[in-house]
Amino acid sequence: MASNKIIGIDLGTTNSAVAVLEGSDPKIIPNPEGSRTTPSVVAFKDGKPSVGEVAKRQEITNPNTVHSIKSHMGEQGYTVDIDGKKYTPQQISAMILQYIKEFAEDYIGDKVENAVITVPAYFNDAQRQATKDAGKIAGLTVKRIINEPTAAALAYGLDKQDKDEKILVYDLGGGTFDVSILELGDGVFQVLSTNGDTHLGGDDFDQRIMDWLIDGFKKENGVDLSKDKMALQRLKDAAEKAKKDLSGVTESEISLPFISAGENGPLHLQTTLTRAKFNELTSDLVAKTKTPFDNALKDAGLQVSDIDQVILNGGSTRIPAVQEAVKSWTGKESNHSINLMKRLLWVLPFKVGLSPVMLRTLFYLM
Amino acid sequence: MADKKDDSLKSKREKSTDDQTSQTADDQSKKAKDANTKENKSAKKAKTASKAEHAESAEVVKLKQTVVDLQKKLDDMENRYLRAEADMKNIQTHAKKEQADLIKYDGQQLAHDVLPIVDNLQRALAVEATDENGKQLKKGVSMVFEHLTKALADNGVEKIEALNKPFDPKFQQAIQTEAADDEHPADTVTKVLQDGYRMKDRVLRPAMVVVAK
């Protein structure tokens, strides 16, 4: 008999994740590589698909590699052509879901049939249906499709209140920014408006640090690191680490020995990035979220003062400057009503690279 | 909360008494009925009788409802118990597996964090030494490097061989391509920019490679 467990799947544009309720705790299921998120990438080799990390690693050598398929979900007539065979976005997404399902089953030790999948609030009926279909192709019964901002609101237990409220969800992830206005009435959420920027996220913040490092290195040593693929890879890792450090401390040391070679031998990169400098480098990125923020309010026909609760979601909202900006725009502490347990869930995404969305989704359903 | 518990306990006890002494209860109810009839006879108003009957059937209805409620509660508890038991079993299975993994992959995080240092030592060794002093220093560093990689190997951390091998995304990450030649047909690794390492059956870090195209 198949397990009656329901898995919660965060089917993302760049990365996906899966969780299951274990006892009363939601548990993120690691993939076979031991990682808690799986790249939403499918690569075909000799007609056989591979998914995740392995697919991503061949992205630049294999033209038959498909990524960001989520952005084509529900698109009428869109197909990916692989060696003369056409695949719909549903079929590609199903391969990702199937891979996730398989390692989830390995973990649970039983067959899994039921799933809950989160989708962006702006998904229309066709996109939602396509997501359901993808689940079906993968052999999953999609019990429910949940809006990402709604799941975030559930994560904070906002549905448990008797008051009717207007909630603003500010979601700054790795590659996309979404802002949604929800209305809660009788424990049911309604999406009033949604807005965003599909090309703004944590990766842009990393890139700013990388650019700053490259500029500084060029000025000092006359060597352009941006021409060196391996150096770029190291810079990217270092930039991401510095960004995360700066959420907790005000200074981060970046140290990359033997990053390059000059006429007089090896060159090293060693510098300190302060939070103030980081804020300066990225202030326009934070400011860029203001227009979608304003538009979402306008579309909902609301003033800032009408908002009762503000929720921050996505790893990039751990950046202090982002938190401060949202606080100054809304005049509200974004986490004032969150208790310690919830706070923990809130910190989790940074630790494990997963939105609290799914965690609560599971809490909510079982 | 405590009151409720007491209530349910009480009704449970009452129920079991009912079961054991159903015969007696029947007799009693007969007697009660007889008593009622007697009472009826002696009663001057028929209304009183109907009131009594009404009261009795209300009692029965109430008891029946209690049975239904209790059965529901029991089912619910049984269901919860089964779930808790299944959950417990799952947690035990996972805990066992996790513990086995912890032992098997002991030191994985440490190894992972040490790898960038190995890389940098390797980069240092790639620098040409020109004078005698430099050569001796390099020799020393090279020996230290050997010790470090041996210590890692002794703990199950091994370098992934990639150079001139067919590109395998399970162990290698392509970060650049270059034109294929006689020596390197398409899909072969032409350069390793950063070594990859594995620990037992896990890839600690894929090798960063250049692939012929």
Side-chain angles (χ1 to χ4, degrees), chain A residues 5 21-23 27 32-34 45 54 57-58 60-61 107-108 229-230 233-234 257-258 266, chain B residues 87 90-91 94 98 120 123-124 127 167 169-170 172-177 187 193-194 206 211:
Chain A
K5 291 258 183 202
L21 205 65
E22 208 164 74
K27 168 109 187 181
E33 308 256 334
K45 185 105 197 191
V54 170
R57 284 181 199 147
Q58 51 188 295
I60 72 149
T61 62
Y107 177 87
I108 293 167
K229 284 268 164 64
M230 197 58 232
Q233 189 73 37
R234 293 177 71 194
F258 303 99
Chain B
D87 270 336
N90 281 334
I91 292 168
H94 294 152
E98 262 171 14
N120 286 328
R123 290 187 181 108
V127 177
F167 171 62
K170 269 198 193 108
Q172 303 150 8
Q173 173 157 6
I175 69 164
Q176 224 174 324
T177 56
D187 265 341
L193 298 179
Q194 184 180 281
V211 181

